[in-house]
Amino acid sequence: MEAVTTLPSTFSAWQIKENPKQAHHLSTDALDNLELATLSLPELQPGHALIRLHAVALNSRDLYTVSQSPLYPCPLEAGTSPCSDGAGTVVAVGAGSAFKTGSRVLLQPSSWIKGVDVADFHLESVLGGGNVPGTLREYRVMKDDRLIPCPRNLSFEEAATLPTATATAVNAIFYGPAKITPGQTVLTQGTGGVSIAAIQVAAAIGCTVIATSTSQEKLNLVQSHGVKHTINYKTHPEWSKEVLRITEGKGVDLVVDVGGSSTILQSLASTRTGGSVAICGILGAGDEAGVIPAIMYGAKRGTFFTGSDNINCGPCADSSLCEQYKEYWE
């Protein structure tokens, strides 16, 4: 094992307590399931690297796993750290590792490296779910193929948001039934991680972006990120009608739906004939008995497509697409 500095023998990690209690995923009671533990630094196997984590991104999935929510099929088990996304520095490497100490990396949350056949995606292997330790800890050992070099222009905090929220948005925009192109119209919901990423990606390639929120302050903020039209769905509860007014009755080319059962009907009403709805979340009310979780975590293809359907974290499945939009990421 090659080390860049003298490493500690122990480190801190947030973990799920023994006998965690089910709580509502939006309640602070869920935090009572967490405790700060002291763990021993593990030995490195060949082809693995030890990462000193500097930033962790929070996603809605983390709320479900920590709260033991029935909405997510892999709640965290006792003694397991939450969170799937993180970025940090390689501080030690095992024999044969392709990484060097000092490298800035982000963690690939799942073992679905090729990202081609959904049958190869295993939900139980995703970091921060079931008994798979996540990133809410000081150190994490990762196999080489689960590490990605950080973009040079991004901070650790920015890079940590790429694997889940940003990759979901990129997939929704570029890898759906019909790839979104400059000049088309994209509708986003709220100002969470996936929606903010979708706004920035869509605006960067020259799409017209319509954003919804209940907060006028947040709507004013997203306009600085490239949003052209905003809709306050508190004052416009039937916001699909406002979408149709803005698009002169046509509807949008793509809706990035993060609400689930509570928003899907209005999302469909907002979409043009032949358009797409990307189901990327279950943040709205009503999904305890809704069909959306089954679509997201069960069947992956059908009338709708989920945000996690075709994410490619290995060699690019469509290099021509990457080259076409490369300038927007540099």
Side-chain angles (χ1 to χ4, degrees), residues 290-329:
V291 69
I292 302 303
I295 292 175
M296 291 191 67
Y297 303 127
K300 290 287 184 180
R301 297 187 186 276
T303 305
F304 311 113
F305 66 98
T306 69
S308 59
D309 200 16
N310 286 315
I311 297 172
N312 174 35
C313 295
C316 190
D318 189 347
S319 59
S320 62
L321 184 67
C322 292
E323 286 300 316
Q324 182 179 353
Y325 294 111
K326 182 178 180 182
E327 62 180 287
Y328 298 109
W329 299 97

XYZ file of all heavy atoms in Angstrom, residues 290-329:
306
model
N -48.919 4.812 -4.860
C -48.879 5.157 -6.268
C -48.111 4.155 -7.103
O -47.420 3.278 -6.593
N -48.211 4.309 -8.425
C -47.555 3.383 -9.344
C -46.124 3.811 -9.665
O -45.315 3.018 -10.121
C -48.376 3.271 -10.650
C -48.304 4.570 -11.448
C -47.901 2.100 -11.493
N -45.773 5.075 -9.385
C -44.479 5.600 -9.799
C -43.297 4.867 -9.152
O -42.323 4.546 -9.846
C -44.394 7.119 -9.543
C -45.513 7.846 -10.302
C -43.042 7.658 -9.985
C -45.520 7.597 -11.794
N -43.312 4.573 -7.846
C -42.180 3.813 -7.293
C -41.974 2.473 -7.993
O -40.838 2.049 -8.199
C -42.575 3.623 -5.817
C -43.445 4.787 -5.511
C -44.245 4.996 -6.776
N -43.076 1.819 -8.366
C -42.949 0.534 -9.068
C -42.309 0.720 -10.431
O -41.529 -0.122 -10.894
C -44.317 -0.122 -9.214
N -42.623 1.834 -11.094
C -42.015 2.108 -12.393
C -40.517 2.382 -12.225
O -39.688 1.871 -12.975
C -42.690 3.317 -13.074
C -44.125 2.966 -13.469
C -41.903 3.760 -14.306
C -44.900 4.128 -14.038
N -40.167 3.159 -11.198
C -38.767 3.546 -11.016
C -37.899 2.396 -10.537
O -36.766 2.230 -10.986
C -38.678 4.711 -10.030
C -39.241 6.009 -10.548
S -38.831 7.396 -9.479
C -37.054 7.497 -9.698
N -38.418 1.604 -9.600
C -37.587 0.574 -8.984
C -37.883 -0.828 -9.501
O -37.220 -1.788 -9.143
C -37.767 0.602 -7.468
C -37.449 1.940 -6.874
C -38.351 2.597 -6.046
C -36.237 2.576 -7.165
C -38.057 3.836 -5.507
C -35.945 3.820 -6.637
C -36.864 4.443 -5.808
O -36.563 5.675 -5.291
N -38.893 -0.937 -10.366
C -39.212 -2.233 -10.942
C -39.012 -2.194 -12.442
O -37.897 -2.215 -12.938
N -40.116 -2.102 -13.200
C -40.020 -2.032 -14.656
C -39.307 -0.754 -15.057
O -39.653 0.318 -14.600
C -41.416 -2.068 -15.267
N -38.325 -0.876 -15.946
C -37.526 0.283 -16.322
C -37.867 0.840 -17.692
O -37.378 1.885 -18.073
C -36.033 -0.083 -16.305
C -35.488 -0.317 -14.919
C -35.350 0.983 -14.175
C -34.707 0.771 -12.830
N -34.556 2.005 -12.075
N -38.660 0.131 -18.458
C -38.977 0.630 -19.790
C -40.471 0.493 -20.047
O -41.129 -0.413 -19.571
C -38.217 -0.153 -20.877
C -36.714 0.002 -20.770
C -36.022 -0.645 -21.950
N -34.580 -0.614 -21.784
C -33.819 0.413 -22.112
N -34.355 1.484 -22.618
N -32.513 0.362 -21.936
N -41.002 1.434 -20.802
C -42.423 1.406 -21.101
C -42.832 2.741 -21.669
O -42.068 3.401 -22.364
N -44.043 3.172 -21.371
C -44.517 4.447 -21.878
C -43.664 5.593 -21.356
O -43.375 6.544 -22.048
C -45.983 4.672 -21.448
O -46.756 3.557 -21.893
C -46.529 5.937 -22.071
N -43.244 5.468 -20.091
C -42.383 6.472 -19.506
C -40.966 5.917 -19.429
O -40.760 4.729 -19.580
C -42.853 6.807 -18.077
C -44.315 7.081 -17.979
C -45.161 6.221 -17.283
C -44.860 8.202 -18.586
C -46.509 6.477 -17.195
C -46.206 8.462 -18.498
C -47.042 7.598 -17.801
N -39.995 6.773 -19.169
C -38.656 6.271 -18.906
C -38.149 6.959 -17.656
O -38.493 8.093 -17.375
C -37.705 6.504 -20.081
C -37.397 7.943 -20.379
C -36.235 8.522 -19.895
C -38.260 8.714 -21.150
C -35.946 9.842 -20.187
C -37.965 10.034 -21.434
C -36.805 10.604 -20.950
N -37.370 6.252 -16.872
C -36.887 6.804 -15.619
C -35.556 7.478 -15.800
O -34.818 7.195 -16.734
C -36.734 5.709 -14.551
O -35.652 4.869 -14.930
C -37.991 4.886 -14.419
N -35.256 8.370 -14.877
C -34.011 9.128 -14.975
C -32.778 8.269 -14.897
O -31.713 8.669 -15.345
N -32.879 7.086 -14.319
C -31.696 6.239 -14.160
C -31.580 5.184 -15.244
O -30.822 4.244 -15.142
C -31.761 5.534 -12.799
O -32.928 4.741 -12.704
N -32.315 5.337 -16.335
C -32.450 4.251 -17.304
C -31.191 3.939 -18.090
O -30.807 2.800 -18.246
C -33.572 4.618 -18.290
C -34.111 3.411 -19.017
O -33.851 2.284 -18.567
O -34.790 3.603 -20.031
N -30.521 4.956 -18.612
C -29.404 4.686 -19.518
C -28.125 5.421 -19.146
O -27.313 5.715 -20.001
C -29.790 5.101 -20.950
C -30.763 4.142 -21.579
O -30.584 2.942 -21.485
N -31.804 4.668 -22.197
N -27.959 5.749 -17.874
C -26.754 6.471 -17.486
C -25.524 5.632 -17.803
O -25.456 4.472 -17.449
C -26.783 6.821 -15.991
C -27.954 7.775 -15.703
C -25.473 7.451 -15.546
C -28.167 8.015 -14.230
N -24.580 6.240 -18.478
C -23.376 5.508 -18.865
C -22.193 6.125 -18.147
O -21.804 7.239 -18.426
C -23.180 5.599 -20.378
C -21.865 4.979 -20.792
O -21.436 4.003 -20.190
N -21.232 5.548 -21.790
N -21.647 5.397 -17.188
C -20.516 5.901 -16.414
C -19.205 5.259 -16.831
O -18.177 5.470 -16.202
C -20.762 5.682 -14.923
S -22.144 6.637 -14.296
N -19.247 4.422 -17.862
C -18.028 3.815 -18.357
C -17.712 4.407 -19.717
O -18.033 5.563 -19.979
N -17.126 3.636 -20.627
C -16.881 4.129 -21.982
C -18.184 4.590 -22.611
O -19.199 3.916 -22.521
C -16.312 2.891 -22.692
C -15.726 2.071 -21.595
C -16.624 2.281 -20.413
N -18.169 5.756 -23.219
C -19.407 6.377 -23.667
C -20.138 5.529 -24.701
O -19.560 5.058 -25.673
C -19.108 7.744 -24.261
S -20.580 8.710 -24.590
N -21.438 5.355 -24.483
C -22.262 4.563 -25.385
C -22.563 5.342 -26.664
O -22.948 4.774 -27.673
C -23.563 4.157 -24.703
N -22.412 6.661 -26.609
C -22.718 7.488 -27.771
C -21.670 8.588 -27.849
O -21.908 9.705 -27.431
C -24.135 8.083 -27.634
C -24.586 8.781 -28.924
O -23.732 9.010 -29.798
O -25.780 9.082 -29.045
N -20.497 8.250 -28.357
C -19.396 9.199 -28.361
C -19.682 10.414 -29.228
O -19.209 11.507 -28.952
C -18.114 8.514 -28.834
O -18.291 7.974 -30.146
N -20.493 10.251 -30.269
C -20.800 11.387 -31.134
C -21.592 12.437 -30.371
O -21.397 13.638 -30.553
C -21.606 10.913 -32.356
O -22.852 10.356 -31.958
N -22.478 11.975 -29.467
C -23.257 12.905 -28.658
C -22.345 13.649 -27.696
O -22.460 14.863 -27.519
C -24.339 12.153 -27.893
C -25.307 13.020 -27.069
C -26.168 13.853 -28.003
C -26.186 12.155 -26.187
N -21.403 12.921 -27.080
C -20.468 13.550 -26.159
C -19.652 14.618 -26.875
O -19.441 15.710 -26.357
C -19.546 12.507 -25.542
S -20.386 11.375 -24.423
N -19.178 14.319 -28.071
C -18.369 15.269 -28.819
C -19.197 16.489 -29.208
O -18.725 17.619 -29.181
C -17.803 14.603 -30.073
C -16.671 13.637 -29.782
C -15.500 14.319 -29.110
O -15.118 15.427 -29.539
O -14.980 13.759 -28.132
N -20.476 16.255 -29.547
C -21.341 17.340 -29.996
C -21.519 18.395 -28.910
O -21.561 19.593 -29.176
C -22.709 16.779 -30.396
C -23.684 17.824 -30.930
C -25.002 17.201 -31.335
O -25.159 15.986 -31.335
N -25.957 18.037 -31.665
N -21.608 17.922 -27.634
C -21.873 18.848 -26.544
C -20.667 19.081 -25.645
O -20.778 19.672 -24.589
C -23.053 18.341 -25.709
C -24.349 18.347 -26.494
C -24.959 17.153 -26.858
C -24.924 19.546 -26.887
C -26.133 17.158 -27.597
C -26.085 19.566 -27.616
C -26.696 18.373 -27.975
O -27.849 18.381 -28.704
N -19.482 18.626 -26.086
C -18.282 18.712 -25.282
C -17.965 20.147 -24.881
O -17.552 20.438 -23.753
C -17.109 18.103 -26.035
C -15.797 18.083 -25.268
C -14.715 17.419 -26.101
C -13.397 17.399 -25.359
N -12.322 16.792 -26.186
N -18.194 21.078 -25.809
C -17.840 22.460 -25.553
C -18.597 23.058 -24.372
O -18.133 23.976 -23.688
C -18.125 23.329 -26.778
C -19.596 23.363 -27.159
C -19.850 24.233 -28.382
O -19.778 25.466 -28.241
O -20.113 23.669 -29.454
N -19.780 22.509 -24.080
C -20.578 23.054 -22.994
C -20.074 22.629 -21.626
O -20.478 23.166 -20.602
C -22.044 22.626 -23.130
C -22.684 23.139 -24.393
C -23.005 22.276 -25.443
C -22.965 24.494 -24.555
C -23.594 22.757 -26.601
C -23.545 24.976 -25.715
C -23.863 24.098 -26.732
O -24.445 24.571 -27.881
N -19.184 21.614 -21.577
C -18.710 21.102 -20.299
C -17.291 21.521 -19.998
O -16.766 21.193 -18.941
C -18.807 19.564 -20.299
C -20.199 19.105 -20.473
C -20.807 18.713 -21.628
C -21.211 19.016 -19.477
N -22.108 18.388 -21.406
C -22.383 18.553 -20.096
C -21.232 19.265 -18.097
C -23.567 18.356 -19.392
C -22.422 19.059 -17.406
C -23.555 18.621 -18.056
